[in-house]
């Protein structure tokens, strides 16, 4: 998979013609248990809200490394993720997964595209990826630091542990040396681990039919110390992860 990703480095496409990728699978309880442990979820019959993203990851990589996807994978930045489910998926049910790409559009720093993972007609995850080609590095958005409700110490091996559970073994998440090869001073935590860790902290408090939308901000260098905040309002939950600046901001309703 890493070799296929590396071979996409020569792409210079400007159109989106990737064909959807589909797969059928059953949940492995051993794999689910490992995922729950690294993200902080309890073991239940219902799948964690972020787990179908992991199940769809091989299909996502197949689509993004295949013909018709316009961007090289090295340097592609995951900037946002939105998950919507109409009901929880259960660990005992067979799953049908389809991954597609849509909505190639400009971004102030380059071009962005959505990779959409649909599972059994009841769960959809939309991952937005950015291909940087220049432009302003600022979003123009000023965020106010929320009051933290918990302190998390993120260990140095979380990237390797989550990579083993998710299949996402991007070198920027594994070791300081491999991360420096891609321009980072240290390894960084996976954005989807950070989102999963937030939802684990809110486990049991979100409705079964829910949309959880997050934006990934500054890289979370590991090891690290961050503050998690969560507050419930009339329109649902607002939550965030901050260090010296924002790493993730999100909402659930």
């Amino acid at each position: 998979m890493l070799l296929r990703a590396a071979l996409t480095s020569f792409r210079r496409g400007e159109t989106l013609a990737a064909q959807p990728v589909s797969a059928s699978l059953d949940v492995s309880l051993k794999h689910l248990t490992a995922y729950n442990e690294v993200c902080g979820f309890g073991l239940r019959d219902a799948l964690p809200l972020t787990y179908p993203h992991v199940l769809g990851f091989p299909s996502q990589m197949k689509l993004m490394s295949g013909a018709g996807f316009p961007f090289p994978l090295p340097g592609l930045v995951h900037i946002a993720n939105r998950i919507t489910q109409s009901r929880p998926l259960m660990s005992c049910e067979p799953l049908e997964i389809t991954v597609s790409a849509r909505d190639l559009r400009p971004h102030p720093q380059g071009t962005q595209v959505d990779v959409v993972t649909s599972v059994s007609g009841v769960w959809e995850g939309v991952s937005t990826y950015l291909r940087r080609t220049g432009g302003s590095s600022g979003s123009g958005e000023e965020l106010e630091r929320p009051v933290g409700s918990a302190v998390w110490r993120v260990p140095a091996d979380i990237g390797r542990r989550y990579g083993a559970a998710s299949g996402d073994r991007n070198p920027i998440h594994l070791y300081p040396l491999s991360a420096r090869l891609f321009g980072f001073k240290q390894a960084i935590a996976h954005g989807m681990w950070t989102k999963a860790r937030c939802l684990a902290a809110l486990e049991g408090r979100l409705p079964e039919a829910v949309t959880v939308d997050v934006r990934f901000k500054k890289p979370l260098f590991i090891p690290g110390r961050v503050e998690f905040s969560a507050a419930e309002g009339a329109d649902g939950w607002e939550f965030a992860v901050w260090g010296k600046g924002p790493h993730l901001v999100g909402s659930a309703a």
Side-chain angles (χ1 to χ4, degrees):
M1 189 178 293
L2 289 173
L3 177 59
R4 290 184 63 183
L7 292 175
T8 67
S9 300
F10 305 101
R11 285 179 178 164
R12 296 294 183 270
E14 297 180 356
T15 59
L16 182 60
Q19 296 300 306
V21 176
S22 298
S24 301
L25 55 84
D26 295 318
V27 173
S28 161
L29 291 182
K30 180 179 179 181
H31 184 265
L32 174 60
T33 300
Y35 177 84
N36 287 348
E37 182 178 350
V38 76
C39 296
F41 292 106
L43 186 58
R44 306 180 181 206
D45 291 333
L47 299 180
L49 193 60
T50 47
Y51 187 63
H53 174 86
V54 168
L55 297 178
F57 183 72
S59 296
Q60 296 161 18
M61 288 298 295
K62 184 175 181 181
L63 178 140
M64 296 169 73
S65 62
F69 192 79
F71 301 141
L73 268 66
L76 206 58
V77 183
H78 193 183
I79 60 172
N81 178 269
R82 183 178 71 251
I83 292 173
T84 301
Q85 73 172 20
S86 57
R87 66 162 177 84
L89 291 163
M90 309 305 289
S91 60
C92 60
E93 64 181 294
L95 303 177
E96 299 293 330
I97 297 175
T98 300
V99 177
S100 59
R102 68 188 185 200
D103 200 10
L104 191 68
R105 60 198 187 277
H107 182 277
Q109 297 177 48
T111 307
Q112 58 190 332
V113 66
D114 292 336
V115 174
V116 183
T117 304
S118 301
V119 182
S120 299
V122 300
W123 186 99
E124 181 183 80
V126 181
S127 292
T128 302
Y129 291 95
L130 168 65
R131 172 62 175 171
R132 286 196 175 110
T133 54
S136 172
S137 60
S139 64
E141 178 185 33
E142 292 188 10
L143 299 175
E144 182 177 349
R145 187 185 187 106
V147 177
S149 54
V151 174
W152 294 345
R153 297 188 183 279
V154 186
D157 66 349
I158 197 66
R160 298 190 293 277
R161 292 171 55 206
Y162 182 80
S166 68
D168 184 355
R169 293 182 173 88
N170 188 324
I172 65 175
H173 302 301
L174 303 181
Y175 298 98
L177 178 58
S178 60
R180 283 196 287 269
L181 294 175
F182 292 86
F184 294 94
K185 64 180 182 179
Q186 293 171 244
I188 64 174
H190 293 74
M192 288 304 295
W193 173 83
T194 311
K195 179 174 183 176
R197 183 67 186 85
C198 291
L199 295 183
L202 295 173
E203 195 168 24
R205 289 184 278 181
L206 301 180
E208 292 188 341
V210 67
T211 295
V212 181
D213 203 350
V214 305
R215 289 166 291 155
F216 303 116
K217 298 297 187 179
K218 296 179 180 294
L220 199 173
F221 292 108
I222 50 178
R225 178 185 179 278
V226 296
E227 290 184 356
F228 169 71
S229 65
E232 187 178 17
D235 297 325
W237 287 85
E238 302 286 336
F239 57 93
V241 176
W242 281 66
K244 291 182 179 180
H247 299 298
L248 175 152
V249 293
S251 63

